[in-house]
Amino acid sequence: MITGVLFDVLAKLPINYMRAPFNTPEREMALALIRELGPGDLLVLDRGYPGYRMFQAIIKQRLDFLIRLPKDGMFKEVRDFLAPGRRHGKITLHPPKALLKANPEADYQPLTLRIVVVSLPGTDQTAVFITTLLDRKKYPPRALRNLYHCRWQEEEFFKTIKEHLRAEEFRGQSVQFIDQELLATYLYYILTRIMMLEAASHHDKPVENLETKAALLAVARYLDRLLRAPTLKQCQELCQRCLAEIAWRTYRPRPGRKFPRRSKSRHGKWANKWA
C-alpha cells in the first residue's frame, strides 16, 4: 500500500490524503489530490513528479507549480537549454510523441515554462527548477529556492507520523481498519498542530520554536480528560494547562545541523517511470 498527502507547507497541515495499491504511480495519486486546489494555489513538488502530463493537468486546473528536476534536466528541451551553461530563461516544452500517438484525440499543446538553476547554500551543488512562475522580477531565483525549501515541511510531517505516531504499524488487516487508522493518525496530527498554533498565540512564542513531539505527548495526556470533563469550565482549564505545557517545550538552536536525504525507492533514486 502507498499513501499520498496534499500538504500545506505554510500551515504545516495535511489537507487531504489517499491510499492506493503499492504499485500505483505517485503522479496518478497527485493528479487525484490536486482536485482540492484552485486558482491562486501553488503546487511544490520534488524530482519524482515531473512529466508533461503532470504539467498539463496542473495548468489546465489553473494552478501554478514549482518542481525540481533531476540534474540532467530530464526533458530534451531542458537539456538543450542547460547545455551552454545557461541558468535562467524560458523554454517551450512539447508533448512527447508517444503521448500524442496514444491519445490522438487529446488536445496537448506546447507549454511555455521557466527554467531556473540555483546554487544550494553551503554546498558546491546546484538545483534545477521548472515553474509556471514566469516573472523573474516578481519571483527571483533566490525566492524560488527559499520557496522550494518549504517543501521540507512535508518530509518532517511524514517523519513525525512514522516515528512518533507509528503510522506504518497497522493493527487491523482489512481495508476498512487501515483507513480508520490512517484517518485517526492524520486527525490526531491536525488536532496537535491546531493546539500548537493556539499555544504560540496565547504564550507569544513563534510556533516554529515549539517542539512537535512534546506537543503530541501533551495532547495525548489531556485528550481523554478533556472528553470526560463534566463542565465547560473544567474543559477550559484543561485546555489552558495543555497549551501552557506545549508552549513550555521548545527546540534548542542547532545551527548548521543537516542530514543527507536518502531515497528508499526500489526503482532507483527519484526514478522516472511515467511520462
Side-chain angles (χ1 to χ4, degrees), residues 180-202:
Q180 177 178 298
E181 290 184 44
L182 281 174
L183 184 58
T185 299
Y186 291 141
L187 288 176
Y188 181 64
Y189 178 90
I190 291 171
L191 174 61
T192 301
R193 184 64 187 167
I194 291 172
M195 294 295 283
M196 291 176 68
L197 293 169
E198 287 293 320
S201 175
H202 279 66

CSV table of all heavy atoms in Angstrom, one decimal, residues 180-202:
chain,number,residue,atom,x,y,z
A,180,GLN,N,-9.3,3.5,8.8
A,180,GLN,CA,-9.7,4.1,10.1
A,180,GLN,C,-8.4,4.5,10.8
A,180,GLN,O,-8.4,5.6,11.4
A,180,GLN,CB,-10.4,3.1,10.9
A,180,GLN,CG,-10.8,3.5,12.3
A,180,GLN,CD,-11.6,2.5,13.1
A,180,GLN,OE1,-12.7,2.2,12.7
A,180,GLN,NE2,-11.0,2.0,14.1
A,181,GLU,N,-7.4,3.7,10.8
A,181,GLU,CA,-6.1,4.0,11.5
A,181,GLU,C,-5.4,5.2,10.8
A,181,GLU,O,-4.9,6.1,11.5
A,181,GLU,CB,-5.2,2.8,11.5
A,181,GLU,CG,-5.7,1.7,12.5
A,181,GLU,CD,-4.8,0.6,12.6
A,181,GLU,OE1,-3.6,0.8,12.7
A,181,GLU,OE2,-5.2,-0.6,12.5
A,182,LEU,N,-5.4,5.2,9.5
A,182,LEU,CA,-4.8,6.4,8.8
A,182,LEU,C,-5.5,7.7,9.1
A,182,LEU,O,-4.9,8.7,9.4
A,182,LEU,CB,-4.8,6.1,7.3
A,182,LEU,CG,-3.7,5.2,6.7
A,182,LEU,CD1,-4.0,4.9,5.3
A,182,LEU,CD2,-2.3,5.8,7.0
A,183,LEU,N,-6.8,7.6,9.1
A,183,LEU,CA,-7.6,8.8,9.3
A,183,LEU,C,-7.4,9.3,10.8
A,183,LEU,O,-7.3,10.5,11.0
A,183,LEU,CB,-9.1,8.6,9.1
A,183,LEU,CG,-10.0,9.8,9.2
A,183,LEU,CD1,-9.6,10.9,8.3
A,183,LEU,CD2,-11.5,9.3,8.9
A,184,ALA,N,-7.4,8.4,11.7
A,184,ALA,CA,-7.2,8.7,13.1
A,184,ALA,C,-5.8,9.4,13.3
A,184,ALA,O,-5.7,10.4,14.0
A,184,ALA,CB,-7.3,7.5,14.0
A,185,THR,N,-4.8,8.9,12.6
A,185,THR,CA,-3.4,9.4,12.7
A,185,THR,C,-3.4,10.8,12.2
A,185,THR,O,-2.9,11.7,12.9
A,185,THR,CB,-2.4,8.6,11.9
A,185,THR,OG1,-2.4,7.2,12.5
A,185,THR,CG2,-1.0,9.2,12.0
A,186,TYR,N,-4.0,11.1,11.0
A,186,TYR,CA,-4.0,12.4,10.4
A,186,TYR,C,-4.8,13.4,11.3
A,186,TYR,O,-4.4,14.5,11.5
A,186,TYR,CB,-4.5,12.4,9.0
A,186,TYR,CG,-3.6,11.7,8.0
A,186,TYR,CD1,-4.1,10.8,7.0
A,186,TYR,CD2,-2.2,11.8,8.1
A,186,TYR,CE1,-3.2,10.2,6.2
A,186,TYR,CE2,-1.4,11.1,7.3
A,186,TYR,CZ,-1.9,10.3,6.3
A,186,TYR,OH,-1.0,9.7,5.4
A,187,LEU,N,-5.9,12.9,11.8
A,187,LEU,CA,-6.8,13.8,12.6
A,187,LEU,C,-6.0,14.2,13.9
A,187,LEU,O,-6.1,15.3,14.4
A,187,LEU,CB,-8.1,13.2,12.9
A,187,LEU,CG,-9.1,13.1,11.7
A,187,LEU,CD1,-10.3,12.3,12.2
A,187,LEU,CD2,-9.5,14.5,11.2
A,188,TYR,N,-5.4,13.2,14.5
A,188,TYR,CA,-4.6,13.5,15.7
A,188,TYR,C,-3.5,14.5,15.5
A,188,TYR,O,-3.3,15.4,16.3
A,188,TYR,CB,-4.1,12.2,16.3
A,188,TYR,CG,-3.3,12.4,17.6
A,188,TYR,CD1,-4.0,12.9,18.7
A,188,TYR,CD2,-2.0,12.1,17.7
A,188,TYR,CE1,-3.3,13.0,19.9
A,188,TYR,CE2,-1.3,12.3,18.9
A,188,TYR,CZ,-2.0,12.7,20.0
A,188,TYR,OH,-1.3,12.9,21.2
A,189,TYR,N,-2.8,14.3,14.3
A,189,TYR,CA,-1.8,15.3,14.0
A,189,TYR,C,-2.3,16.7,13.8
A,189,TYR,O,-1.8,17.7,14.3
A,189,TYR,CB,-1.0,14.8,12.7
A,189,TYR,CG,0.0,15.8,12.3
A,189,TYR,CD1,1.4,15.7,12.8
A,189,TYR,CD2,-0.3,16.8,11.4
A,189,TYR,CE1,2.3,16.6,12.4
A,189,TYR,CE2,0.7,17.8,11.0
A,189,TYR,CZ,2.0,17.6,11.5
A,189,TYR,OH,3.0,18.5,11.1
A,190,ILE,N,-3.5,16.8,13.1
A,190,ILE,CA,-4.1,18.1,12.8
A,190,ILE,C,-4.5,18.7,14.1
A,190,ILE,O,-4.3,19.9,14.4
A,190,ILE,CB,-5.3,17.9,11.9
A,190,ILE,CG1,-4.8,17.5,10.5
A,190,ILE,CG2,-6.2,19.2,11.8
A,190,ILE,CD1,-6.0,17.1,9.6
A,191,LEU,N,-5.1,17.9,15.0
A,191,LEU,CA,-5.5,18.5,16.4
A,191,LEU,C,-4.3,19.0,17.1
A,191,LEU,O,-4.3,20.1,17.7
A,191,LEU,CB,-6.2,17.4,17.2
A,191,LEU,CG,-6.5,17.7,18.6
A,191,LEU,CD1,-7.5,18.9,18.7
A,191,LEU,CD2,-7.1,16.5,19.4
A,192,THR,N,-3.2,18.3,17.1
A,192,THR,CA,-2.0,18.7,17.8
A,192,THR,C,-1.5,20.0,17.2
A,192,THR,O,-1.0,20.9,17.9
A,192,THR,CB,-0.9,17.6,17.7
A,192,THR,OG1,-1.4,16.4,18.4
A,192,THR,CG2,0.4,18.1,18.4
A,193,ARG,N,-1.5,20.0,15.8
A,193,ARG,CA,-1.0,21.2,15.2
A,193,ARG,C,-1.8,22.5,15.5
A,193,ARG,O,-1.3,23.6,15.7
A,193,ARG,CB,-1.0,21.0,13.7
A,193,ARG,CG,-0.4,22.2,12.8
A,193,ARG,CD,1.0,22.4,13.1
A,193,ARG,NE,1.5,23.6,12.5
A,193,ARG,CZ,2.7,24.2,12.7
A,193,ARG,NH1,3.5,23.7,13.7
A,193,ARG,NH2,3.1,25.3,12.1
A,194,ILE,N,-3.1,22.3,15.6
A,194,ILE,CA,-4.0,23.4,16.0
A,194,ILE,C,-3.7,23.8,17.4
A,194,ILE,O,-3.7,25.1,17.7
A,194,ILE,CB,-5.5,23.0,15.9
A,194,ILE,CG1,-5.9,22.8,14.4
A,194,ILE,CG2,-6.4,24.0,16.5
A,194,ILE,CD1,-7.3,22.2,14.2
A,195,MET,N,-3.5,22.9,18.3
A,195,MET,CA,-3.1,23.2,19.7
A,195,MET,C,-1.8,24.0,19.7
A,195,MET,O,-1.6,24.9,20.5
A,195,MET,CB,-3.1,22.0,20.5
A,195,MET,CG,-4.4,21.3,20.7
A,195,MET,SD,-5.6,22.3,21.7
A,195,MET,CE,-5.0,22.0,23.3
A,196,MET,N,-0.8,23.6,18.9
A,196,MET,CA,0.4,24.3,18.8
A,196,MET,C,0.3,25.7,18.4
A,196,MET,O,0.9,26.7,18.9
A,196,MET,CB,1.4,23.6,17.9
A,196,MET,CG,1.9,22.2,18.4
A,196,MET,SD,2.9,21.3,17.2
A,196,MET,CE,4.4,22.4,17.2
A,197,LEU,N,-0.6,25.9,17.4
A,197,LEU,CA,-0.9,27.3,16.9
A,197,LEU,C,-1.5,28.1,18.0
A,197,LEU,O,-1.2,29.3,18.2
A,197,LEU,CB,-1.8,27.2,15.7
A,197,LEU,CG,-1.1,26.6,14.4
A,197,LEU,CD1,-2.2,26.4,13.3
A,197,LEU,CD2,0.0,27.6,13.9
A,198,GLU,N,-2.4,27.5,18.8
A,198,GLU,CA,-3.1,28.2,19.9
A,198,GLU,C,-2.1,28.5,21.0
A,198,GLU,O,-2.1,29.6,21.6
A,198,GLU,CB,-4.2,27.4,20.4
A,198,GLU,CG,-5.5,27.3,19.5
A,198,GLU,CD,-6.1,28.7,19.4
A,198,GLU,OE1,-6.3,29.4,20.4
A,198,GLU,OE2,-6.6,29.0,18.3
A,199,ALA,N,-1.2,27.6,21.3
A,199,ALA,CA,-0.2,27.8,22.3
A,199,ALA,C,0.7,28.9,22.0
A,199,ALA,O,1.1,29.8,22.8
A,199,ALA,CB,0.5,26.5,22.6
A,200,ALA,N,1.1,29.0,20.7
A,200,ALA,CA,2.0,30.0,20.3
A,200,ALA,C,1.3,31.4,20.4
A,200,ALA,O,2.0,32.4,20.8
A,200,ALA,CB,2.4,29.8,18.8
A,201,SER,N,0.1,31.4,20.1
A,201,SER,CA,-0.7,32.7,20.1
A,201,SER,C,-0.9,33.1,21.6
A,201,SER,O,-0.7,34.3,21.9
A,201,SER,CB,-2.0,32.5,19.4
A,201,SER,OG,-2.8,33.7,19.6
A,202,HIS,N,-1.3,32.2,22.4
A,202,HIS,CA,-1.6,32.5,23.8
A,202,HIS,C,-0.3,32.9,24.6
A,202,HIS,O,-0.4,33.7,25.5
A,202,HIS,CB,-2.3,31.3,24.5
A,202,HIS,CG,-3.7,31.3,24.2
A,202,HIS,ND1,-4.2,31.0,23.0
A,202,HIS,CD2,-4.8,31.4,25.0
A,202,HIS,CE1,-5.6,31.0,23.0
A,202,HIS,NE2,-5.9,31.2,24.2
